[in-house]
């Protein structure tokens, strides 16, 4: 890496690392971002990070001064008023906006600022709201105000052209593709007229054009000369619309490295959020508004601080003359505003131009390296959105790279798979569409029918449906901030190389196993299958708590009797698991079938809890949803709930499954029938009723863990219980269970539901009474057990429920340790 960094500095050393600042990037990172050690943070487009020195200044200020509500004349109130005035000037200075021409309105964020514009803009039926297709949802939302007042809304795709003379003499640098106009139906408009909400038609109507200074999806920086072209009436797409055009710039992303210069590009409205610039405070943004534009806004609501006088029992109100006071409802977040100066202190020290050069050097370097990544068949690994689609060679890009990854065969890696593996490597990035549906559809090539069918298939924002009908539904985004380093960039590139570039396929080495094409084992008919035996049985009565081992156990229609029949629900209705509450792993369980009792112990409770497992001894009935399925449950007394609340350190409710709306599936055997009878009880399992792992697969994993943790690193060893299996078998070959379709243990038959998709829960383990988190064994499993975004280990089984169809009764069967296991691959 040292040699590579030297080469990097030869090319980018003049821009990288703040060579003209008092401290370079390495010193800055070591002193003010110690919490990033061992971590690669690449989501600065989502939220950049505050520095430790910044927060120390904020804390010192708040502990040394008294700031009162500014709506008064006391000394503390006047101190706050002076601070607010200073902060407004500092924000205007950042945008090179003269206080004579612009005002700074503090809001709760960029979204609130956009909402304020949409709510107060003087829309009429002659108005048009036009916006670029690449816009955040918060900008798109303004059209609801426009359409409700009868205005027209229209999206446009703006593309810079190489030769302006080819643009049909328009004098513009842009090619504009206009989408169809949007307008509400006459019935809606008539309703608005009747309710007095329709603005009268006027010859002096106002129109609004909105675009981002930088697209938060692709990082494409829009040419700000759009502002002057639109306001002068020389922009194709607006020239045919009567009335005056005003311009809104969404600078929430762009102002982090290049705030719009409002002296050169005098937009009417600009919005920003300060946590995007310097991390803290969140929940604070600003609307930079031109004085003339502010005077045209029609604000209906009035509140504390916005009026000079009002009378409670008659229709009388006189608003204040100050634009800031009229548009800022209530008391502004003055303590947050007081902290802005310490964020700007960092920006002023480094300079915004140096920050832009620093972050651009990293993004340019990584973008080039990503485009050079090839599979063994010379096909590209990375598909980067934005720059390569442009017809302008020197199109400006922000410090954002949005991409998807392809396999050697041309199919896509899902973005959730990338995010999951990145998390294991300590890399923080963002996936999805980033609340920018227009850019997402444009760059991913998703038609309206694709978007509708994806929604009908169940895809919504922030879910795991990353590939539908062979197409990505979103993308992966990385973004650099002022404290990002070359080492961050190199760690990302190394991660992409190791995790997604094709390698030779092998079974018994360190290479990735291509599980889509490789038939692991398929010769059981020739093997001495009697060598496979049931090694251990574990029951987990309470979901996510400890299990207990037995020599033999009865089967019920839902699998192993009493397995995961109880769970804990949080005070907010959420289901508690070890992922959320690691303390659950310290609660031990035991069921005595003869006594008919469930015993529970916790290191945080001196008393042992005993609960009868007889059906009629539970208390109230209720209904609960667990991972999308509805269950009827029985709850317990406050005494029981109190015991568990003490054990895990948070309020909770203990409940038992009594019935559910059953899932069903069809299996193939001597006859086709449902694998679970409609009268059977389904416990709180996620997928299959039982989980099986083999000792041989565990041994192979440990061999890989051992070989990957050399060079003095601490030895990593996992036992079968790390995976919370119900059944452990021995005598097979590693991963042969992947190909089992059915198996029988004694006279009990089971159907394989396929591999178990593992999550970070298997990285939790107990040491000296503490729950420890690590990257293993999931990181190693990800290197060779990935299949279409899933990391598989062990197989899920469903019990063929033992119904005697002739007599319509359930025949209880037992499985016992030592029994022979007979698998079938057919």
């Amino acid at each position: 890496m040292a040699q590579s960094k030297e080469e990097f500095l030869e090319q980018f050393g003049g821009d990288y690392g703040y060579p003209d600042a008092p401290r370079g990037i390495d010193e800055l990172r070591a002193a003010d971002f110690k919490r990033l050690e061992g971590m690669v943070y690449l989501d600065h487009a989502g939220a950049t990070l505050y520095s430790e020195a910044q927060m120390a200044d904020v804390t010192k200020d708040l502990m040394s001064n008294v700031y009162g509500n500014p709506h008064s004349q006391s000394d503390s109130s006047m101190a706050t008023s002076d601070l607010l005035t200073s902060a407004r000037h500092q924000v205007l200075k950042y945008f090179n906006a003269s206080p004579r021409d612009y005002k700074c309105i503090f809001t709760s964020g960029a979204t609130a600022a956009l909402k304020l514009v949409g709510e107060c803009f003087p829309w009429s039926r002659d108005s048009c709201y036009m916006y670029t297709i690449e816009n955040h949802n918060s900008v798109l939302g303004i059209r609801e105000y426009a359409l409700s007042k009868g205005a027209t809304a229209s999206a446009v795709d703006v593309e810079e052209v190489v030769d302006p003379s080819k643009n049909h003499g328009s004098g513009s640098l842009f090619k504009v593709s206009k989408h169809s106009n949007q307008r509400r139906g006459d019935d809606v408009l008539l309703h608005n007229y009747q309710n007095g909400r329709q603005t009268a038609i006027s010859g002096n109507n106002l129109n609004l054009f909105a675009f981002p200074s930088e697209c938060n999806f692709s990082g494409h920086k829009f040419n700000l000369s759009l502002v002057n072209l639109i306001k002068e009436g020389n922009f194709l797409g607006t020239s045919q619309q009567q009335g005056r055009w005003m311009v809104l710039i969404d600078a929430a992303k762009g102002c982090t490295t290049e705030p719009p210069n409002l002296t050169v590009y005098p937009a009417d409205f600009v919005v920003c959020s300060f946590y995007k610039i310097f991390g803290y405070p969140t929940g604070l943004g600003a609307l930079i508004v031109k004085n003339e534009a502010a005077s045209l806004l029609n604000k209906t609501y009035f509140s504390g601080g916005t009026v000079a006088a009002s009378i409670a029992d008659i229709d009388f109100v006189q608003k204040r003359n100050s634009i800031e006071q009229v548009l800022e409802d209530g008391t502004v977040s003055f303590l947050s505003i007081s902290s802005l100066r310490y964020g700007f202190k960092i920006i002023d020290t480094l300079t915004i131009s140096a920050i832009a050069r620093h972050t651009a050097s990293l993004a340019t370097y990584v973008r080039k390296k990503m485009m050079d990544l090839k599979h063994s068949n010379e096909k590209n690994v990375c598909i980067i959105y934005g720059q390569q689609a442009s017809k302008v060679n020197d199109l400006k890009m922000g410090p954002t790279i949005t991409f998807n990854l392809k396999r050697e065969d041309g199919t896509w890696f899902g973005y959730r798979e990338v995010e999951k593996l990145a998390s294991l490597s300590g890399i923080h990035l963002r996936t999805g569409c980033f609340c920018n549906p227009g850019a997402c559809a444009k760059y991913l090539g998703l038609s309206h029918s694709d978007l509708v069918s994806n929604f009908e298939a169940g895809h919504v924002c922030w879910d795991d449906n990353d590939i539908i009908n062979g197409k990505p539904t979103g993308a992966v985004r990385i973004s650099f901030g002022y404290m990002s380093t070359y080492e961050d960039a190199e760690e990302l590139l190394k991660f992409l190389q190791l995790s997604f570039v094709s390698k030779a396929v092998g079974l018994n080495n360190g290479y990735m196993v291509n599980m889509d094409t490789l038939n692991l084992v398929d010769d059981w008919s020739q093997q001495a299958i009697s060598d496979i035996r049931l090694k251990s049985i574990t029951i987990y009565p309470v979901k996510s708590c400890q299990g207990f081992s037995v020599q033999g156990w009865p089967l019920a229609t839902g699998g192993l009797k009493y397995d995961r029949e109880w769970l804990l629900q949080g005070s907010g209705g959420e289901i508690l698991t070890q992922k959320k509450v690691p303390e659950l792993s310290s609660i031990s369980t035991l069921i005595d079938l003869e006594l008919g009792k469930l015993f529970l112990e916790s290191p945080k409770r001196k008393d042992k809890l005993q609960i009868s497992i007889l059906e009629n001894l539970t208390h109230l009935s209720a209904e609960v949803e667990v991972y999308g399925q509805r269950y009827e449950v029985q709850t317990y007394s406050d005494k029981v709930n109190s015991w568990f609340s003490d054990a895990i350190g948070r309020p909770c409710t203990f409940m038992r499954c009594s019935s559910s709306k059953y899932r069903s599936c069809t299996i193939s055997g001597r006859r086709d029938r449902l694998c679970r009878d409609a009268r059977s009880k389904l416990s709180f399992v996620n997928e299959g009723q039982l989980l099986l792992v083999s000792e041989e697969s565990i041994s192979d994993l440990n061999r890989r863990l051992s070989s990957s943790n050399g060079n003095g690193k601490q030895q990593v060893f996992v036992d079968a219980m790390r995976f919370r299996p119900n059944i452990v078998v021995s005598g097979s070959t590693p991963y042969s269970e992947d190909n089992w379709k059915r198996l029988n243990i004694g006279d009990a038959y089971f159907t394989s539901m396929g591999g178990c998709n593992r999550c970070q829960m298997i990285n939790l383990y107990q040491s000296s009474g503490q729950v420890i988190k690590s990257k293993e064994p999931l990181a190693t499993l990800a290197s060779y057990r990935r299949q279409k975004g899933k990391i598989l280990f062990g197989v899920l089984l469903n019990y063929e429920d033992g119904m005697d169809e002739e007599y319509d009764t359930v025949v209880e069967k037992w499985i016992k340790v030592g029994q022979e296991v007979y698998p079938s691959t057919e």
Side-chain angles (χ1 to χ4, degrees):
M1 183 182 291
Q3 183 180 357
S4 183
K5 185 172 185 179
E6 186 176 323
E7 294 173 357
F8 168 82
L9 291 175
E10 285 180 8
Q11 182 177 0
F12 297 104
D15 295 326
Y16 172 81
Y18 312 109
D20 299 324
R23 294 187 300 174
I25 182 61
D26 293 335
E27 186 180 354
L28 173 71
R29 180 70 171 258
D32 290 344
F33 295 92
K34 292 185 286 291
R35 65 191 188 278
L36 288 181
E37 185 176 352
M39 183 188 306
V40 178
Y41 185 86
L42 295 175
D43 188 26
H44 297 274
T48 200
L49 302 174
Y50 54 81
S51 83
E52 292 163 27
Q54 174 189 356
M55 298 310 297
D57 286 341
V58 171
T59 302
K60 181 179 178 181
D61 183 10
L62 295 180
M63 294 179 67
S64 304
N65 296 290
V66 177
Y67 298 115
N69 190 310
H71 297 164
S72 184
Q73 297 294 318
S74 68
D75 289 346
S76 59
S77 297
M78 296 302 292
T80 301
S81 295
D82 291 343
L83 184 148
L84 293 177
T85 299
S86 175
R88 295 187 203 278
H89 281 272
Q90 197 163 25
V91 173
L92 292 177
K93 179 183 176 182
Y94 188 68
F95 290 92
N96 198 22
S98 169
R100 295 189 303 272
D101 301 323
Y102 284 90
K103 293 292 185 289
C104 170
I105 313 300
F106 287 116
T107 63
S108 63
T111 294
L114 292 165
K115 181 175 182 288
L116 183 63
V117 173
E119 187 177 31
C120 300
F121 195 83
W123 305 106
S124 74
R125 288 205 70 182
D126 288 344
S127 296
C128 178
Y129 175 48
M130 188 175 291
Y131 51 89
T132 56
I133 199 75
E134 296 179 55
N135 255 311
H136 195 278
N137 266 328
S138 297
V139 177
L140 301 189
I142 292 176
R143 75 183 179 197
E144 292 300 302
Y145 290 108
L147 293 174
S148 68
K149 295 294 182 69
T152 301
S154 179
V156 293
D157 205 359
V158 179
E159 181 182 328
E160 293 187 55
V161 296
V162 176
D163 185 356
S165 65
K166 294 182 180 179
N167 201 17
H168 308 293
S170 68
S172 171
L173 295 171
F174 307 95
K175 176 182 177 182
V176 182
S177 301
K178 196 169 183 292
H179 295 246
S180 59
N181 288 339
Q182 306 164 56
R183 199 154 197 165
R184 288 278 157 83
D186 292 336
D187 54 337
V188 175
L189 300 180
L190 178 61
H191 175 76
N192 289 348
Y193 271 125
Q194 292 171 343
N195 286 275
R197 293 188 291 157
Q198 188 72 44
T199 303
I201 297 176
S202 168
N204 299 318
N205 61 290
L206 295 170
N207 310 297
L208 182 64
F209 188 97
F211 72 97
S213 60
E214 181 182 322
C215 174
N216 76 303
F217 183 94
S218 66
H220 162 218
K221 286 189 174 184
F222 280 76
N223 190 327
L224 295 182
S225 63
L226 275 171
V227 174
N228 295 320
L229 288 172
I230 292 165
K231 293 177 73 67
E232 293 165 3
N234 294 325
F235 181 71
L236 185 65
T238 62
S239 56
Q240 298 178 351
Q241 175 69 29
Q242 293 184 349
R244 174 181 165 195
W245 280 94
M246 307 184 82
V247 179
L248 181 155
I249 298 177
D250 174 11
K253 174 61 183 75
C255 73
T256 62
T257 54
E258 189 178 355
N261 185 333
L262 295 183
T263 297
V264 179
Y265 308 108
D268 299 282
F269 310 99
V270 178
V271 304
C272 70
S273 283
F274 296 107
Y275 74 95
K276 302 271 190 180
I277 305 173
F278 35 69
Y280 180 88
T282 58
L284 183 67
L287 169 64
I288 315 303
V289 56
K290 210 169 186 182
N291 293 342
E292 185 180 3
S295 66
L296 298 173
L297 298 179
N298 298 325
K299 191 164 184 292
T300 303
Y301 177 75
F302 70 89
S303 64
T306 65
V307 296
S310 64
I311 300 177
D313 56 348
I314 64 172
D315 184 8
F316 176 85
V317 61
Q318 184 64 47
K319 296 183 179 179
R320 290 184 177 271
N321 294 325
S322 165
I323 292 173
E324 295 98 332
Q325 291 175 326
V326 169
L327 294 179
E328 290 174 350
D329 287 322
T331 302
V332 294
S333 183
F334 57 89
L335 293 182
S336 292
I337 294 170
S338 73
S339 69
L340 292 180
R341 53 186 151 168
Y342 304 112
F344 281 119
K345 176 182 174 182
I346 298 171
I347 304 301
D348 292 342
T349 300
L350 299 176
T351 74
I352 194 65
S353 60
I355 291 173
R357 294 193 303 272
H358 171 77
T359 53
S361 69
L362 290 169
T364 302
Y365 171 73
V366 171
R367 195 177 287 115
K368 171 68 166 57
K369 290 291 186 179
M370 289 175 65
M371 292 304 295
D372 290 342
L373 284 178
K374 305 284 186 182
H375 287 297
S376 56
N377 61 358
E378 292 302 309
K379 290 191 176 181
N380 287 334
V381 177
C382 304
I383 306 300
I384 298 178
Y385 302 113
Q387 190 174 33
Q388 81 281 10
S390 170
K391 297 178 182 177
V392 182
N393 293 330
D394 60 348
L395 179 69
K396 294 178 68 177
M397 299 294 293
T400 296
I401 305 172
T402 301
F403 60 96
N404 272 312
L405 303 174
K406 278 194 167 183
R407 296 185 178 88
E408 193 173 19
D409 62 2
T411 60
W412 298 94
F413 288 102
Y415 59 76
R416 279 292 291 124
E417 178 178 0
V418 180
E419 185 175 38
K420 186 175 183 179
L421 296 174
S423 179
L424 288 174
S425 298
I427 298 174
H428 299 245
L429 43 74
R430 182 67 63 91
T431 64
C433 274
F434 325 119
C435 298
N436 196 325
C440 188
K442 171 183 175 179
Y443 290 114
L444 299 183
L446 299 173
S447 65
H448 289 168
S449 60
D450 288 331
L451 298 173
V452 172
S453 64
N454 288 351
F455 177 75
E456 291 175 346
H459 173 55
V460 295
C461 294
W462 309 335
D463 68 9
D464 289 344
N465 294 319
D466 50 11
I467 304 289
I468 298 180
N469 297 325
K471 288 185 178 181
T473 60
V476 183
R477 185 184 73 187
I478 60 169
S479 47
F480 297 96
Y482 77 82
M483 76 296 297
S484 296
T485 65
Y486 166 81
E487 286 73 22
D488 293 333
E490 207 60 45
E491 284 297 318
L492 173 83
L493 293 170
K494 184 170 70 173
F495 160 70
L496 295 176
Q497 175 74 46
L498 293 176
S499 301
F500 301 101
V501 178
S502 63
K503 308 174 183 71
V505 176
L507 252 182
N508 297 313
N509 52 36
Y511 296 120
M512 180 186 300
V513 175
N514 186 341
M515 298 181 67
D516 300 324
T517 58
L518 189 63
N519 189 4
L520 297 177
V521 175
D522 196 14
D523 58 352
W524 282 100
S525 58
Q526 284 77 39
Q527 289 196 10
I529 54 179
S530 61
D531 290 342
I532 305 176
R533 292 187 177 272
L534 180 54
K535 186 68 178 293
S536 70
I537 304 169
T538 307
I539 314 300
Y540 304 91
V542 184
K543 191 174 181 68
S544 276
C545 292
Q546 291 181 22
F548 63 95
S549 296
V550 294
Q551 290 299 303
W553 198 258
L555 294 159
T557 52
L560 289 166
K561 198 168 187 177
Y562 303 123
D563 186 60
R564 285 164 294 185
E565 197 160 308
W566 290 265
L567 59 69
L568 289 163
Q569 184 182 48
S571 57
E574 72 279 14
I575 303 305
L576 302 184
T577 67
Q578 281 190 35
K579 293 180 190 177
K580 302 174 183 176
V581 189
E583 293 81 3
L584 286 169
S585 64
S586 67
I587 299 176
S588 63
T589 63
L590 176 67
I591 288 178
D592 189 313
L593 293 175
E594 292 185 2
L595 294 178
K597 287 187 177 182
L598 166 63
F599 296 93
L600 301 115
E601 292 186 71
S602 165
K604 295 185 178 180
R605 292 283 306 207
K606 294 181 180 179
D607 56 323
K608 182 185 295 187
L609 185 63
Q610 300 182 28
I611 294 176
S612 172
I613 58 178
L614 301 177
E615 296 284 348
N616 60 358
L617 292 184
T618 53
H619 288 250
L620 300 175
S621 294
E623 192 171 276
V624 66
E625 183 171 305
V626 181
Y627 303 122
Q629 178 155 334
R630 302 297 299 179
Y631 291 83
E632 287 184 7
V633 298
Q634 293 174 302
T635 58
Y636 289 80
S637 66
D638 290 342
K639 181 180 179 181
V640 171
N641 294 332
S642 177
W643 189 94
F644 280 103
S645 297
D646 291 344
I648 66 172
R650 65 171 66 192
C652 60
T653 301
F654 189 55
M655 53 184 58
R656 182 183 190 178
C657 175
S658 71
S659 67
S660 66
K661 297 179 180 178
Y662 310 107
R663 294 170 287 191
S664 62
C665 62
T666 301
I667 61 172
S668 298
R670 288 170 294 180
R671 55 187 180 277
D672 289 339
R673 63 184 178 88
L674 292 180
C675 66
R676 185 181 296 110
D677 188 87
R679 289 159 295 185
S680 67
K681 181 192 294 184
L682 181 66
S683 60
F684 294 122
V685 297
N686 293 347
E687 298 176 85
Q689 297 171 345
L690 299 88
L691 173 64
L692 177 149
V693 301
S694 80
E695 283 195 328
E696 288 70 28
S697 299
I698 294 288
S699 296
D700 179 77
L701 171 60
N702 279 313
R703 180 183 60 79
R704 295 170 187 268
L705 287 168
S706 177
S707 63
S708 64
N709 283 273
N711 300 323
K713 292 185 179 180
Q714 184 177 359
Q715 181 69 42
V716 178
F717 175 84
V718 296
D719 60 13
M721 291 304 105
R722 180 76 73 92
F723 300 92
R724 295 177 65 81
N726 294 109
I727 294 173
V728 179
V729 299
S730 63
S732 60
T733 57
Y735 314 111
S736 58
E737 62 271 17
D738 291 329
N739 285 333
W740 296 351
K741 299 295 189 296
R742 300 179 74 215
L743 69 147
N744 68 286
I745 304 171
D747 58 354
Y749 287 80
F750 302 86
T751 303
S752 174
M753 308 299 291
C756 181
N757 185 22
R758 312 313 310 210
C759 65
Q760 292 192 4
M761 188 168 168
I762 65 174
N763 289 342
L764 302 176
Y765 66 96
Q766 294 238 357
S767 177
S768 302
Q770 299 293 317
V771 177
I772 309 298
K773 296 181 180 180
S774 73
K775 296 179 182 179
E776 296 293 359
L778 195 58
T780 294
L781 284 173
S783 70
Y784 75 106
R785 293 289 298 174
R786 279 179 23 225
Q787 182 186 35
K788 300 292 186 181
K790 297 180 179 181
I791 302 172
L792 303 178
F793 191 82
V795 293
L796 297 164
L797 303 177
N798 272 5
Y799 171 52
E800 298 180 19
D801 54 31
M803 287 292 297
D804 187 320
E805 296 183 0
E806 183 177 352
Y807 297 101
D808 198 29
T809 59
V810 177
V811 179
E812 185 173 85
K813 299 176 182 179
W814 285 60
I815 56 173
K816 297 179 181 179
V817 171
Q819 284 181 311
E820 295 178 347
V821 177
Y822 296 92
S824 170
T825 59
E826 297 180 357

